[in-house]
Structure formats: C-alpha cells, structure tokens
Amino acid sequence: MISSKLLVVIQNRPTQFDAPLYEKIHEGSSIDLIVYYTQVEQSESNAVDHEVGITPEWDHLNKPKYPIQYRKSAVAMWKEIVKQGPCHVIIGGWYPRSHALLALLLRLSGVSIGVRSDNTLEHTDLRGMGGILKRAFMSVWLGLYDVWHPVGSLSHAYLRQLSIRKRETFYFPYAIDMEWFVEKSMRVRAERDRRREELGLQAGDYVVIGVMKWSHREDPVTLINAMLLAVPAVPNIKLVLVGDGPLRQKVEARKSIAPERIITPGYVKYSELPQYYSVADIFVHPAESEPYGVSVQEAMACGLPVIVSDMVGAAADLLERGKNGDVFPVGQERVLAKLIVAYAARLEDKSIAEASQSKANERSYSYTIGELERCMECSSDGRGRNVSN
C-alpha cells in the first residue's frame, strides 16, 4: 500500500545544510520523512573530508530527531522501501553504485523515484568519444527517473540537455538555514568593531572574506593575488581567508608578502561562520570548479555582496549582477581585483545587503519544503511521470 505522505530520501551522508532541513520537514510539514545514509554508519557521520584531510565540525547540529537508517546495501534498502510503500523516493545522484542499483530496483518495482543532481554541463567533460558515450548512456539513464530534483537551474539544464525524456521538475537546492544565519549575523553586527578587533582588524578596514578549502579546485591563491593587486587603489584592504587544505604552503608563501593584510584563522567550526562573514564587507569565491557553492548563500544571508568565478554554479540562481555582486572569468586575477575595488566604493549602499538577503531567501528551507510537498501531490495522484515543459 502506498502512503500519500511518506517521502524517502537517499544520500551519502549527513550535511551541514540538509540535516537542519530534514528536522524542519519532520517537525512542521505535511510530509512523513525517512532518510537513508549510504556511505557512513551512525558513528561515522562526521567523516573526514578527503579533499582537505580534515573532519568538519558541524557543531550547530543537534541529535537528529527525524527517522534515519544507515544502509550500504542497495538490495536491503530496496526490500525495506518497498515494504514501507512510500509515495516518492529521492535518490542523491548515481554514485555510489548502490544508488544506481537502488534506482533500477525501485523503478522495476513500480515505486516513484526522483534523482537529486548537482551535475552541470559546465562541469562535465563531454568531449571526444568518451563524451559521445556518456551522452548516449545518460540520455537513457536519466529517463529512468519519474521526477528530477536539480539543485539549481544549471543542474536542470544538464538534465534537460542529456535526457531523451523530459520529466517533471521539483527543485531540491543545497539550501541553508536562512533564519539561523540571519540571527547569528545580526548579533555579530551589533558588536562588529569589537569582533574585528579580536581578529586583528581595524574598524575602518575594507575586509574581503573567502571561506573555502585550500585546494586547487577552490583556488585560494587567485583570491590572495587579486587582493594584493587591489592594494594601491584601496590601501585599507584586508583579507580574511577561512579554511585549510593541501595548498597551505602556497597560501602561507603568498601571505608572507603582506602578512599584516591577510588573516588566516584556519578551518573554523560551522557555528562560528556567521561571525566571520559578518565582520567582512564582501565575499569572494574564486573556485576553478564548483557545481554549486553553498558558501555563496551563507555570505548573502549575512548581507554581503558576493563576487564569484564563472565556474561557481550558485551564481545562476542567487546572483544579480550589479545588485548583490558580480562574476569574473575564472583565474582572471586582475578582473577580480577591479571588481573588489569597485565594491569598495559602494560600502554605504544599503540596498546591496537587502538584495543579497532577499535573493538568498528565494532558496530557503520554506521554498524547498514547498517544492517537495508539490512533488508529493503529483506522485500521489499519478502525475509523477508527466513530461516537463
């Protein structure tokens, strides 16, 4: 028997932004939720981030109240889910392999399934024979799902471009807890000068912030170089670079050029992030490859303008050029420096903070819950496989 209220979500592991969302769905929505985590056991939920070799400190998360299962076997999950009779199952991508096998088993069992995807055309190599084969396979594979759940518009474009069948789409973004960030940010801004002083900043400094993994993919060196290029035009500029990773030696080498201008607090706890965003004047994400980029929304929730490379996918949904930030060609330090200087002249423009928070709020938890509730309505009345316009 199918439950018109039961939604099952399959994903690799808990995340700092999805776990609070699941709490809100469990406590205050019309949806009955079960989440399966497939790559960790309960004791491993804060697994090491292999890109930087650090265990993230998601100390803002309480002990979860929503129903959780830890399973690695696709067959075991398939048997349990079929017995539960869910209205809909959302599967996070097709990796690990168990996710792909589970999708196939559920499809053959007549269970409504959707794929949550952050893939984008910009971050997918479709060149040569390998690209031809990938297109051929994905065109068939994506048609397996009844519903698509892209994290953003670029992900939706990927699904539409590669699939031979168009599906109903209900967005499932990497949204953050807007209320939590706004509240924390307001507290910090009430005593901003003191917080700046604690970090070694002056009240009148123009503070640029980057929150990233110190890896080639997220490219902290380009941000440092751009900040240094901006010094002649903005003598009071400072950079707060939050993070750590394999490029630590390169970061420290560039920092040694102007150590008084670059503050590196390290890899901070999640609960402390609003403190760092809120002492800054502008946020920069220079990543060479970032299909989405949750830190963009975090910074916007704290009222910051954002400058991102054209390889940061979140910009397509969250950034309005000239209103709450801008985009620069990836790796172009001089272009980034010019944008940083341009926003230094707009520090008194209060409309930027309003535009950032307003745009960030468009991808709030309320938005996501609304999308999921609409999906459940479609799945329960048999419309889950309609062609998307």
Side-chain angles (χ1 to χ4, degrees), residues 10-27:
I10 313 293
Q11 67 182 64
N12 294 359
R13 55 172 43 94
T15 69
Q16 73 275 29
F17 45 87
D18 280 339
L21 167 66
Y22 297 148
E23 292 286 1
K24 290 184 181 295
I25 291 174
H26 176 67
E27 293 174 357

Side-chain angles (χ1 to χ4, degrees), residues 238-255:
K238 299 285 180 66
L239 171 63
V240 176
L241 190 62
V242 176
D244 203 345
L247 293 186
R248 186 185 305 165
Q249 288 187 338
K250 285 190 176 182
V251 168
E252 293 296 337
R254 298 305 292 164
K255 177 180 176 178

